[in-house]
Amino acid sequence: MRSFASDNNSGVHPLVMEALNRANSDHAIGYGDDPWTEEAVRKIRNAFETECEPLFVFNGTGSNAVALQLCTRPYNSIICAETAHIYVDECGSPARMTGCQIRPVTTPDGKLTSDLIRSYLCHFGEQHHSQPGVIYISQCTELGTVYKPEEILALAELAHRYGMYVHMDGARLANACAALNLSLKELTVDCGIDILSFGGTKNGLMLGESVIVFNPALKKEARFVRKQSAQLASKMRYLSCQFTAYLTDDLWLKNARHANRMATLLHEKLRVLPGMHITQKMESNQLFLTMPRPVIDELLKTYFFYFWNEAINEIRFVTSFDTTEKDIEELLQSIKKLL
């Protein structure tokens, strides 16, 4: 099966699988006191060019929950786009784990701006109201759009002015870096991000993410929050060794560039077909569009993909590091035939 539903559906990159096989030798001390984890921590600090605190966890929801717990107390509120993963796709886990109120903001393209959130920055010091504590952004957004550095920096400056933190969900951060031709540091540390969920599962890893703590004020409790959140792996080496492979010879960037390139190819071929309407600016490896419902229904018999807004026949195609030009051409031929 070749899927365009999500980059989560792709396989594991061979170099990552090799790293897992190398780590699967002899015994090693658990819970991160092993040479693979030490090497992965060094790799991450080198990649982001800062003395950050990387914490390896099992999955994306867990990484967001850990990061947001570090930034908040239960009386805080978390400001995010109404399309945000923590608001739509995580079954209320961040709200449950933090105890915080989540304040969704309507956006046209999935991106928060200072103007959009300014009205939510109120009631500071009033005991009857949740206290704004965190601005959460996704890079790339759930609509496939990409924050530019100046946009992130503006949000961070606003948040810090009010004593708040900024948490970036970087499940597709690699795709954003590839789209903007910028480094990991330039899209995070240099923009004032306090804490990052650094994902790789969508870009060639088997499983796992890393919560990367940049703000020194958040480091003290980080390991305790990870443990209490059931995100501390005993056989840590199998999570961490993947990041060593991922950050060696820019594998993360090569994979993301390929995924983005395949999405661009699909976009260019689809947008000229009759009955097609691209609904979001195509900036990464996600493509949002509408097409006639009979075509969608027939296509679903052969391909797996998701509706984004079924009421208007809007669907989403996502390309991966292992999507091929043949995959794109076969999908296009199927659509053309149905049209």
Side-chain angles (χ1 to χ4, degrees):
M1 177 193 77
R2 303 305 287 177
S3 169
F4 288 89
S6 173
D7 31 16
N8 279 325
N9 295 353
S10 60
V12 179
H13 193 280
L15 292 176
V16 174
M17 193 65 78
E18 287 179 15
L20 284 161
N21 285 330
R22 286 195 299 272
N24 192 35
S25 62
D26 208 356
H27 287 201
I29 297 173
Y31 302 107
D33 294 322
D34 61 82
W36 293 274
T37 301
E38 290 172 3
E39 183 181 10
V41 167
R42 286 195 299 271
K43 283 278 190 180
I44 288 175
R45 287 174 176 164
N46 288 338
F48 288 90
E49 301 177 53
T50 187
E51 279 298 306
C52 54
E53 179 72 13
L55 302 172
F56 300 101
V57 297
F58 290 110
N59 52 39
T61 298
S63 68
N64 287 336
V66 168
L68 289 169
Q69 284 178 92
L70 281 173
C71 295
T72 62
R73 293 295 178 265
Y75 53 78
N76 286 132
S77 61
I78 300 165
I79 299 170
C80 65
E82 65 178 355
T83 51
H85 209 267
I86 61 166
Y87 185 65
V88 177
D89 294 303
E90 295 186 344
C91 197
S93 173
R96 183 177 186 272
M97 299 285 278
T98 63
C100 294
Q101 180 186 42
I102 295 184
R103 301 294 303 276
V105 179
T106 301
T107 72
D109 56 3
K111 293 162 69 172
L112 294 177
T113 66
S114 298
D115 288 341
L116 286 174
I117 68 173
R118 194 166 277 112
S119 63
Y120 293 81
L121 305 181
C122 57
H123 303 304
F124 287 97
E126 296 184 21
Q127 63 183 331
H128 304 290
H129 300 277
S130 295
Q131 300 293 288
V134 182
I135 296 173
Y136 164 99
I137 62 173
S138 299
Q139 179 76 305
C140 308
T141 74
E142 299 304 314
L143 296 178
T145 50
V146 174
Y147 283 97
K148 295 180 175 62
E150 59 269 23
E151 294 171 324
I152 304 172
L153 188 59
L155 289 171
E157 289 176 346
L158 180 63
H160 296 158
R161 194 182 313 151
Y162 283 89
M164 301 167 63
Y165 297 110
V166 180
H167 168 220
M168 176 184 284
D169 183 342
R172 294 188 175 96
L173 176 59
N175 300 94
C177 289
L180 296 175
N181 195 30
L182 294 173
S183 70
L184 292 167
K185 177 177 181 286
E186 288 172 315
L187 271 185
T188 56
V189 178
D190 291 351
C191 296
I193 295 299
D194 295 292
I195 193 164
L196 169 72
S197 297
F198 183 42
T201 307
K202 292 178 168 64
N203 198 34
L205 300 194
M206 178 181 287
L207 76 164
E209 294 211 2
S210 180
V211 176
I212 304 180
V213 187
F214 298 123
N215 190 323
L218 300 175
K219 292 180 180 180
K220 182 179 179 181
E221 298 178 349
R223 292 176 180 268
F224 301 106
V225 171
R226 176 178 61 174
K227 176 65 176 182
Q228 197 173 59
S229 301
Q231 287 291 323
L232 177 63
S234 57
K235 296 186 178 181
M236 182 77 75
R237 54 179 159 157
Y238 296 104
L239 295 178
S240 59
C241 74
Q242 298 176 81
F243 284 88
T244 297
Y246 192 55
L247 294 170
T248 297
D249 296 329
D250 287 337
L251 178 63
W252 65 276
L253 185 57
K254 293 172 185 175
N255 286 355
R257 282 176 174 165
H258 177 81
N260 287 7
R261 189 165 59 248
M262 291 298 100
T264 299
L265 177 62
L266 181 58
H267 171 258
E268 292 302 310
K269 300 281 188 178
L270 278 177
R271 68 185 181 88
V272 298
L273 296 181
M276 300 290 160
H277 174 63
I278 307 300
T279 57
Q280 288 292 333
K281 188 176 181 181
M282 212 292 296
E283 295 184 326
S284 56
N285 66 323
Q286 301 176 75
L287 179 58
F288 294 80
L289 69 155
T290 60
M291 65 173 71
R293 182 58 184 260
V295 175
I296 295 174
D297 290 340
E298 286 299 315
L299 199 63
L300 282 167
K301 295 178 181 179
T302 309
Y303 287 95
F304 182 41
F305 55 89
Y306 290 119
F307 276 101
W308 188 257
N309 184 346
E310 193 167 1
I312 61 171
N313 298 326
E314 184 182 29
I315 61 173
R316 182 188 76 166
F317 289 141
V318 185
T319 54
S320 305
F321 80 92
D322 60 356
T323 300
T324 65
E325 291 191 19
K326 181 181 178 183
D327 294 333
I328 300 293
E329 189 56 38
E330 289 179 351
L331 174 63
L332 288 166
Q333 289 303 320
S334 297
I335 293 173
K336 289 177 181 178
K337 183 179 178 181
L338 292 171
L339 286 171

